[in-house]
Amino acid sequence: MSTPDINDQPAGEPRKLAGAGLRRLRLRSVAAAAAAIAFGSLYFFVRQQLKDGVWGFDLYLFNKSLATASLFLVTLSMILTGIGYFSRRPGRALAFRKHYGLAGFWVGAAHGLVSHLLLPSRFPLPAWTFEHPVASATGLAALVLFGAMAASSSAGVKGRLGGELWRKGLRYVGYAALVVACVHAGILKWASWVNYFGSFGSVLPSLSLPVVLFAVAAVILRVFVWRSAKGR
Ligand code: HEM
């Protein structure tokens, strides 16, 4: 069904239809977040069995699935622009960008809170922060930048800033936050990734590896969009 056209409806209808459309977008992004977390949980559950020979699932593994789901969702919200630019019919996928981004922010916030408030024995504050200053700073910075995007994604802010400046601001802050989140995950998981390619002992790599590669692909696609738009 095509996106409802507001112009050919009697007066009261647009608000109801827009409301229904918005509800559908939000529901789909919540479903996408739940699916990403469920997939991550299953992945880390099976990987732990292959790696350590134990079947078990706990908050530590769940936190990893929150972390990878957050990075996946914010990457998805940004890569849709690049895909839309090069595809003939960008269509409805673009409408999901804001909502996948918002879902990624809230899942990232949950991950940060679970790490330090619900897993204090693993990631004690402030000790863990002093031992991992760059990983902590980049995690927090990514969350603050994604939060700033969430706060300024409303039509009101767009109206005040003007469309062009608003779009540019969201774009640059978005890609900066994505790179910072990749640095955060990279610092914490580098040893695990190198170990994986050294021995393939765990059969499956940490899910953070393919998700960070997905984020890198989104940044590279953005560069292609920028170069192509400059050439037009
Ligand atoms: C205040 C904010 C944040 C804090 C305190 C935080 C903390 C942590 C901690 C403690 C880990 C290690 C987890 C482990 O080894 O099991 C971790 C890993 C990770 N974090 Fe964050 N993080 C924050 C924000 C973010 C954000 C915003 C993202 C993504 C957009 C993110 C993505 C990741 C990823 C992908 C991993 C690797 C998970 C794994 O494979 O083990 N983090 N973070």
Side-chain angles (χ1 to χ4, degrees):
M1 182 177 82
S2 63
T3 311
D5 184 347
I6 207 160
N7 301 318
D8 57 7
Q9 305 290 344
E13 209 52 30
R15 198 161 296 113
K16 217 162 52 184
L17 268 174
L22 186 58
R23 257 194 311 281
R24 205 174 36 247
L25 286 173
R26 286 184 176 151
L27 268 178
R28 283 279 295 270
S29 57
V30 169
I37 295 167
F39 175 80
S41 298
L42 185 63
Y43 185 97
F44 283 114
F45 175 62
V46 171
R47 180 174 179 262
Q48 181 179 257
Q49 205 291 324
L50 294 169
K51 191 162 73 78
D52 309 328
V54 286
W55 289 113
F57 189 76
D58 57 11
L59 198 56
Y60 176 64
L61 289 188
F62 183 67
N63 183 42
K64 289 175 182 292
S65 66
L66 288 176
T68 47
S70 168
L71 188 54
F72 172 76
L73 289 161
V74 289
T75 302
L76 190 60
S77 84
M78 278 179 238
I79 209 165
L80 285 173
T81 308
I83 294 170
Y85 180 87
F86 288 112
S87 67
R88 287 193 202 301
R89 288 179 310 113
R92 285 178 347 137
L94 294 179
F96 289 101
R97 287 176 301 179
K98 170 181 171 180
H99 303 279
Y100 287 157
L102 286 172
F105 164 68
W106 288 114
V107 175
H111 155 62
L113 292 173
V114 167
S115 297
H116 291 311
L117 301 187
L118 300 183
L119 291 166
S121 59
R122 292 257 186 187
F123 311 113
L125 279 180
W128 192 84
T129 305
F130 294 143
E131 286 154 21
H132 306 83
V134 184
S136 298
T138 47
L140 191 58
L143 202 58
V144 168
L145 290 172
F146 287 130
M149 288 180 69
S152 48
S153 63
S154 67
V157 176
K158 182 180 179 183
R160 281 199 297 282
L161 288 179
E164 192 50 32
L165 180 59
W166 178 77
R167 252 187 301 283
K168 268 205 177 127
L170 282 181
R171 187 185 310 148
Y172 292 134
V173 171
Y175 283 96
L178 194 62
V179 170
V180 170
C182 288
V183 172
H184 165 74
I187 290 171
L188 290 163
K189 302 315 298 181
W190 186 255
S192 155
W193 298 345
V194 169
N195 184 34
Y196 173 73
F197 287 109
S199 65
F200 298 103
S202 57
V203 187
L204 296 172
S206 162
L207 187 56
S208 55
L209 181 61
V211 175
V212 165
L213 291 177
F214 180 47
V216 170
V219 174
I220 293 171
L221 185 61
R222 180 70 228 171
V223 173
F224 278 105
V225 169
W226 177 68
R227 287 169 59 115
S228 156
K230 232 175 80 179
R232 282 193 184 176

